[in-house]
Amino acid sequence: VDFSKPSIQALETAINLCRQLNAKLYVVYIADMDGDKVTADKLKDNNSIEARMLKDFQYQLETLVKKMSDAEIVFVAEVDYGDPTEGIVRIAAKVNADMIVMGTHGRTGVEYMLVGSVAESVLRKTTIPVVCVRAGLNTAA
């Protein structure tokens, strides 16, 4: 989840799937920070901008999932930093995910070439099935 409209729609789809399948939900946010500049010391320092940002993202993520789901859904919210594609693939493998649900803006042409697609990169780098939810489409599962 990156808090964009497509990712919120994907979260809604994932919550519905978890409810139907009685599955645990791992909700992940990868802060796109420059990994070379973010050090372990900065993250240990609770007063550093980086540590405060990650804590804020964690709070926002947990609040969002609690607001959108109910007590039936068991979830874990995890925030990390670095390249979003690498982080998503790494965490999905770490938790032995059965499926990755992601939002996509559905960009094409020049916009796609300039911005790229995390969803497409994840599709290329994982063997775990990926469900892409396109922005603006009905996500009722």
Side-chain angles (χ1 to χ4, degrees), residues 6-35:
S7 74
I8 300 299
Q9 290 176 317
L11 177 57
E12 182 181 324
T13 298
I15 289 169
N16 287 332
L17 285 168
C18 286
R19 191 173 287 125
Q20 291 172 16
L21 300 170
N22 196 28
K24 187 174 190 176
L25 177 65
Y26 288 88
V27 186
V28 177
Y29 174 79
I30 307 297
D32 195 1
M33 297 182 197
D34 186 350

Side-chain angles (χ1 to χ4, degrees), residues 54-97:
L54 291 182
K55 285 180 185 174
D56 185 53
F57 289 137
Q58 182 75 32
Y59 174 79
Q60 289 179 48
L61 195 60
E62 289 174 3
T63 301
L64 178 65
V65 177
K66 286 176 185 174
K67 182 175 118 180
M68 292 180 66
S69 66
D70 52 40
E72 293 176 33
I73 302 295
V74 176
F75 76 92
V76 174
E78 185 166 344
V79 173
D80 206 342
Y81 68 95
D83 176 78
T85 298
E86 299 299 326
I88 292 165
V89 170
R90 179 179 41 74
I91 292 171
K94 177 179 86 171
V95 301
N96 198 24

Side-chain angles (χ1 to χ4, degrees), residues 97-111:
D98 295 315
M99 177 188 311
I100 299 171
V101 180
M102 298 183 64
T104 180
H105 292 273
R107 294 183 179 109
T108 59
V110 174
E111 185 181 20

Side-chain angles (χ1 to χ4, degrees), residues 118-137:
V118 173
E120 182 180 355
S121 295
V122 169
L123 277 165
R124 292 177 188 271
K125 294 185 177 189
T126 187
T127 57
I128 299 169
V130 178
V131 173
C132 292
V133 178
R134 188 166 169 205
L137 298 180

